[in-house]
Amino acid sequence: MEYFDTIVIGGGPAGMMATIASAFYGQQTLLIEKNKRLGKKLAGTGGGRCNVTNNGTLDDLLAGIPGNGRFLYSVFSQFDNHDIIAFFEDNGVKLKVEDHGRVFPKTDKSRTIIQALENKIQELGATILTNTEVVSVKKVDEQFQVKSADQIFTSDKLIVTTGGKSYPSTGSTGFGHDIARHFKLHVTDLEAAESPLLTDFPHKALQGISLDDVTLSYGKHKITHDLLFTHFGLSGPAALRLSSFVKGGEIAHLDFLPNQCQENLKTYFEENREKSVKNTLKGLVPERVAEFLAGDKADSKIKQLHPKDLENLISQLKGMEIPITGKMSLAKSFVTKGGVDLKEINPKTLESKKVPHLHFAGEVLDINAHTGGFNITSALCTGWVAGIQSPWD
Ligand SMILES: Cc1cc2nc3c(=O)[nH]c(=O)nc-3n(C[C@H](O)[C@H](O)[C@H](O)COP(=O)(O)OP(=O)(O)OC[C@H]3O[C@@H](n4cnc5c(N)ncnc54)[C@H](O)[C@@H]3O)c2cc1C
């Protein structure tokens, strides 16, 4: 039985940062990860470029974390998105800010971020054990016993950073919730969040098209952000954010031009009345959308359109109907809503109120955020705060 001051289970962003913080504060630390490599899910974020954080204000962060973001006030007062940026820059990673405050490594490669975290863990002398799945955890006297298939480790402090239940192929299968239940902590219901939408729609015609800053709405819920047409329906931040308001069976509306009013569009069509419908539309929307909306009138001139057809075109541009048939399951959603009940957790230390020296960080907690770097910010910041707590107090 090998002893460590602190054991961290799960090598995603929360676990890697918890290990760094713990080792930085002098704790002899072991990080156990069941995959061959650390950060498998993190590697796939931001289209494989790693959306490492968001550079917004505290208000932006809280707005980006609709699932219990307010619980993180104390965490962010200790370590926030600006500390994440400073951390990577101090460790030689050049970052850049893209639209909507999303922060990426300048290399556009996730590897850069994961390697920097791994290098820091090694520099601080913590131990990384990959390819090792923790199968059970218990507390014997004052120490934790952490078991893999063929080893037992003991520690004074345990940090659980095993993630949620989305994309289980990346390793997040909900093991941390089992640990919480073992210690008689309540786990709230787990649901899909940030889910791609399934639509009853001519998918082939629009598949692969991405649109910047369009408005997708259902009833009073309006989201203006980027949208992606896929082979099954809709993805991209606008669809993912709307997913928390729809179940399937609703009609969503897509405004391709949220900054243009109907009157402006009428004037625009009037000014282009000698041009073909398709070419006129191409001045407003991407070519394949123009072809789709123009349909069999593509080569007609605007002046040849019946006023009703022109009206119809404008209403399509300002509110194309999209029937939603459902949304992706928890396993195929980007984020898990629900997790270890925050009533069980001290917000200053992320320690269990019932079990001393047992901490949780990252998506295993009942915190869910929008994509755009907000989940990763929550994971890295909660990881840091869980890591710095002393196992000897
Ligand atoms: C495709 C995709 C794109 C995303 N894009 C974004 C984005 O752009 N912005 C954003 O903010 N968020 C995004 N997210 C969400 C974000 O990646 C997660 O919220 C974040 O990775 C959670 O970090 P974590 O450290 O809590 O958990 P995870 O990253 O899930 O890491 C948990 C780790 O624990 C390990 N583990 C689990 N059980 C055991 C065990 N028994 N023994 C040992 N190890 C174990 C797992 O193998 C895993 O490596 C995206 C998610 C997906 C799936």
Side-chain angles (χ1 to χ4, degrees), residues 85-390:
I85 292 170
F87 169 86
F88 283 106
E89 289 181 344
D90 289 349
N91 285 287
V93 176
K94 292 201 171 66
L95 300 171
K96 59 177 174 175
V97 183
E98 293 193 358
D99 56 339
H100 304 281
R102 296 177 308 150
V103 179
F104 294 90
K106 270 202 173 146
T107 58
D108 279 330
K109 290 195 173 83
S110 296
R111 200 73 226 130
T112 307
I113 294 295
I114 295 165
Q115 199 59 58
L117 290 163
E118 207 169 326
N119 289 350
K120 193 71 190 174
I121 293 172
Q122 269 152 2
E123 180 194 315
L124 292 165
T127 306
I128 301 173
L129 200 57
T130 50
N131 251 330
T132 305
E133 179 168 7
V134 174
V135 292
S136 73
V137 167
K138 60 181 176 182
K139 204 169 184 189
V140 180
D141 301 325
E142 289 309 300
Q143 283 197 338
F144 293 97
Q145 270 192 16
V146 176
K147 252 192 186 178
S148 69
D150 50 11
Q151 283 161 291
I152 301 178
F153 304 95
T154 60
S155 65
D156 279 325
K157 176 179 159 189
L158 182 66
I159 308 178
V160 180
T161 52
T162 46
K165 257 193 131 168
S166 311
Y167 277 71
S169 58
T170 63
S172 49
T173 51
F175 181 67
H177 306 127
D178 296 340
I179 299 178
R181 289 186 197 103
H182 166 83
F183 286 110
K184 310 238 174 319
L185 309 187
H186 180 241
V187 176
T188 61
D189 291 345
L190 305 179
E191 289 171 41
E194 305 292 305
S195 316
L197 299 176
L198 309 173
T199 63
D200 193 0
F201 206 66
H203 300 132
K204 281 229 168 82
L206 297 175
Q207 180 178 341
I209 295 173
S210 67
L211 302 168
D212 293 342
D213 292 319
V214 292
T215 298
L216 189 66
S217 59
Y218 167 63
K220 63 180 184 351
H221 306 290
K222 276 191 193 321
I223 315 283
T224 301
H225 215 303
D226 306 342
L227 185 72
L228 178 68
F229 288 96
T230 68
H231 61 286
F232 54 78
L234 300 173
S235 191
L240 301 180
R241 290 179 189 199
L242 197 72
S243 69
S244 57
F245 307 113
V246 297
K247 288 190 165 57
E250 302 85 355
I251 306 279
H253 288 90
L254 172 58
D255 183 348
F256 288 94
L257 301 163
N259 294 324
Q260 300 254 25
C261 65
Q262 305 232 0
E263 279 312 306
N264 279 354
L265 289 175
K266 269 188 201 148
T267 313
Y268 171 80
F269 282 114
E270 191 49 43
E271 285 165 0
N272 288 280
R273 59 195 312 279
E274 298 297 331
K275 280 199 196 159
S276 72
V277 171
K278 185 180 148 192
N279 281 341
T280 309
L281 284 170
K282 265 168 62 183
L284 297 169
V285 289
E287 182 164 0
R288 280 175 57 211
V289 176
E291 277 167 7
F292 176 74
L293 293 178
D296 59 4
K297 303 267 185 320
D299 297 324
S300 311
K301 292 198 166 152
I302 293 289
K303 67 177 181 192
Q304 295 168 325
L305 286 185
H306 189 280
K308 274 255 173 285
D309 290 335
L310 191 57
E311 221 171 84
N312 185 36
L313 216 47
I314 293 176
S315 23
Q316 290 275 80
L317 284 167
K318 290 299 294 170
M320 185 171 80
E321 289 192 354
I322 304 183
I324 308 289
T325 53
K327 54 185 176 183
M328 287 290 189
S329 63
L330 172 57
K332 289 184 178 159
S333 294
F334 285 44
V335 178
T336 301
K337 182 177 176 192
V340 177
D341 195 334
L342 301 176
K343 288 194 203 98
E344 306 273 7
I345 304 293
N346 179 337
K348 291 198 183 84
T349 58
L350 304 176
E351 185 177 19
S352 156
K353 290 177 184 169
K354 281 187 196 141
V355 185
H357 304 310
L358 173 64
H359 298 253
F360 292 86
E363 212 181 306
V364 69
L365 289 166
D366 180 10
I367 293 171
N368 60 282
H370 292 318
T371 55
F374 298 104
N375 292 287
I376 298 164
T377 301
S378 165
L380 291 169
C381 296
T382 53
W384 177 268
V385 169
I388 63 176
Q389 310 305 321
S390 165

Side-chain angles (χ1 to χ4, degrees), residues 34-53:
K34 70 178 173 192
N35 291 327
K36 263 193 268 167
R37 287 180 162 205
L38 301 177
K40 188 169 177 187
K41 185 177 281 185
L42 184 62
T45 65
R49 299 186 302 135
C50 194
N51 182 191
V52 65
T53 189

